[in-house]
Amino acid sequence: TMPHWSTEDTKCALLASLIPGGTALAGAAIYMTDKSSVEWWEKLRKPKWISPNIIKISSVVDVLSVAPVGYASYLCYKNGGGFDYNDTRLALALYGANIAFVATCIPLVKKKNLNCLSRNMLFVHGTALAAAVAFFKIHKPAGYWMVPYALWTGFYLFMVRSIKKENDPVKDL
C-alpha cells in the first residue's frame, strides 16, 4: 500500500521527473548544436537496421524514457522510507550512478571516442537494470516505471556496440 499522497508529494514527483527529463533535453540540445560531433556521428558506418534519423529519434526517446525514471525515483524514495533504509539508499545510489554514467556520454561523443562510449554504455545499461530491480523490490510500480528506460539503454548499448564493430579497423590475421 502506498503512504498518504499530498500536494507536496505531487510537487516533488514533478520536480523529480523534470530534472532528468530536462537534463536529457539539454544534453540533446548540446549535442545537436555541436556540428563537429553531428558530422562525425553521421559519417560513421552503421548497420543497415539503424535509421538515418537515429540522432533525432534517440533524442526524443531519451527524453520520453528518462522523465518517468525521475518519477520512479520519487516513488522509491517515498515508499521505501526515504534515506532511513539501506535498500532505498542502495536503489537511489544505483539511480545516481546511472545518471552519472549517462552524463559522461556527451563528452565521449564530443571526443569522438566510440571505444569509451561503448564501454560507458555497458555501465549505463547495467546500472539502469540494477536500479530497476532495486526499485521493483521496494515498490513494484516504481520498478515498472523503470522498464522502458532499461529497455532503451539496452537497445542503445547494442546500437553503439554495433556501430563500433562496423568502424573497428580490420586486423590482418
Side-chain angles (χ1 to χ4, degrees):
T1 65
M2 190 161 146
H4 174 74
W5 191 268
S6 67
T7 55
E8 186 64 26
D9 289 317
T10 301
K11 290 177 196 173
C12 290
L14 284 171
L15 182 61
S17 297
L18 289 173
I19 291 171
T23 303
L25 197 56
I30 289 167
Y31 173 73
M32 297 292 249
T33 58
D34 182 1
K35 188 176 177 180
S36 172
S37 294
V38 172
E39 286 175 359
W40 168 74
W41 187 259
E42 288 175 352
K43 288 179 183 175
L44 289 170
R45 291 186 305 279
K46 297 173 192 72
K48 292 179 179 160
W49 55 267
I50 295 177
S51 168
N53 295 323
I54 193 63
I55 294 172
K56 292 175 186 165
I57 294 168
S58 66
S59 295
V60 170
V61 176
D62 282 349
V63 173
L64 293 176
S65 69
V66 81
V69 171
Y71 176 65
S73 72
Y74 185 72
L75 288 177
C76 179
Y77 174 81
K78 177 160 178 77
N79 292 284
F83 291 115
D84 292 338
Y85 296 93
N86 288 338
D87 291 351
T88 307
R89 281 197 300 263
L90 174 62
L92 294 173
L94 289 166
Y95 168 66
N98 176 262
I99 297 303
F101 287 124
V102 168
T104 62
C105 288
I106 293 285
L108 293 174
V109 169
K110 286 180 167 271
K111 288 186 179 231
K112 300 169 182 66
N113 191 330
L114 268 179
N115 195 34
C116 285
L117 181 62
S118 175
R119 287 183 186 143
N120 187 64
M121 283 309 303
L122 189 61
F123 291 112
V124 169
H125 182 56
T127 55
L129 282 175
V133 169
F135 281 24
F136 189 80
K137 287 180 178 181
I138 292 167
H139 183 66
K140 284 183 179 35
Y144 289 133
W145 279 106
M146 293 287 291
V147 169
Y149 177 70
L151 291 171
W152 172 242
T153 61
F155 169 78
Y156 205 81
L157 169 63
F158 180 70
M159 181 184 72
V160 169
R161 293 258 167 147
S162 298
I163 292 171
K164 180 188 171 303
K165 185 177 178 182
E166 290 281 326
N167 291 276
D168 278 346
V170 177
K171 294 187 170 116
D172 292 333
L173 296 176

